[in-house]
């Protein structure tokens, strides 16, 4: 069973950085592909970054590529999202998600387990 808890959000000025963490308190974390999504008020949840179960493959939304980095430590049951060069439009609640997928997954429906989210607020 996967139980995800995000942390690391906060308020920063434009250009700043944060490191988000998502820890699984359940078992078998290493067998899941993981993703980060975000949702701003009044908008749909959107894909940010994903990482395959092995950690060997990562992929990003075009809007964050080059600024955000996803990584995982299976020994610590944790996936990370380093967010840098933040912009006001990055303001959102950030969610991590776990799924057993084949290939690259970027749609919310492809992930079966979700955390509660952590707020990131970027001021100009």
């Amino acid at each position: 069973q996967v139980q995800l808890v995000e942390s690391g959000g906060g308020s920063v000025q434009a250009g700043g950085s944060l490191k988000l963490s998502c820890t699984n308190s359940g078992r078998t974390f290493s067998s899941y592909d993981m993703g980060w999504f975000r949702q701003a008020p009044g908008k749909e949840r959107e894909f940010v970054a994903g990482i395959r179960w092995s950690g060997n493959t990562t992929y990003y939304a075009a809007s964050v590529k080059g600024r955000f980095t996803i990584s995982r430590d299976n020994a610590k049951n944790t996936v990370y999202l380093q967010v840098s060069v933040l912009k006001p439009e990055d303001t959102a609640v950030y969610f991590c998600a776990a799924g057993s997928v084949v290939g690259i997954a970027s749609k919310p429906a492809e992930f079966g387990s979700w955390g509660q989210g952590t707020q990131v607020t970027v001021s100009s």
Side-chain angles (χ1 to χ4, degrees):
Q1 187 173 359
V2 178
Q3 295 176 315
L4 304 173
V5 178
E6 301 97 334
S7 61
S11 297
V12 297
Q13 291 190 327
S17 300
L18 290 169
K19 188 170 187 177
L20 310 183
S21 299
C22 171
T23 300
N24 172 38
S25 60
R27 299 179 179 176
T28 66
F29 174 79
S30 61
S31 65
Y32 289 92
D33 293 345
M34 300 296 296
W36 283 95
F37 291 76
R38 67 186 181 186
Q39 188 165 19
K43 295 187 176 182
E44 293 187 352
R45 191 167 297 190
E46 66 171 353
F47 170 78
V48 174
I51 186 166
R52 298 301 310 276
W53 64 271
S54 65
N56 290 337
T57 301
T58 59
Y59 46 104
Y60 300 89
S63 59
V64 306
K65 196 169 186 179
R67 300 189 297 121
F68 291 11
T69 302
I70 189 171
S71 61
R72 67 190 296 162
D73 185 338
N74 286 342
K76 295 182 178 180
N77 282 357
T78 301
V79 63
Y80 305 96
L81 186 68
Q82 176 72 47
V83 297
S84 304
V85 196
L86 283 163
K87 305 175 182 180
E89 52 264 41
D90 293 319
T91 295
V93 178
Y94 284 70
F95 299 88
C96 69
S100 299
V101 296
V102 177
I104 302 299
S106 61
K107 299 177 182 177
E110 296 176 294
F111 293 85
S113 299
W114 293 81
Q116 295 288 79
T118 185
Q119 176 72 46
V120 172
T121 303
V122 184
S123 58
S124 58

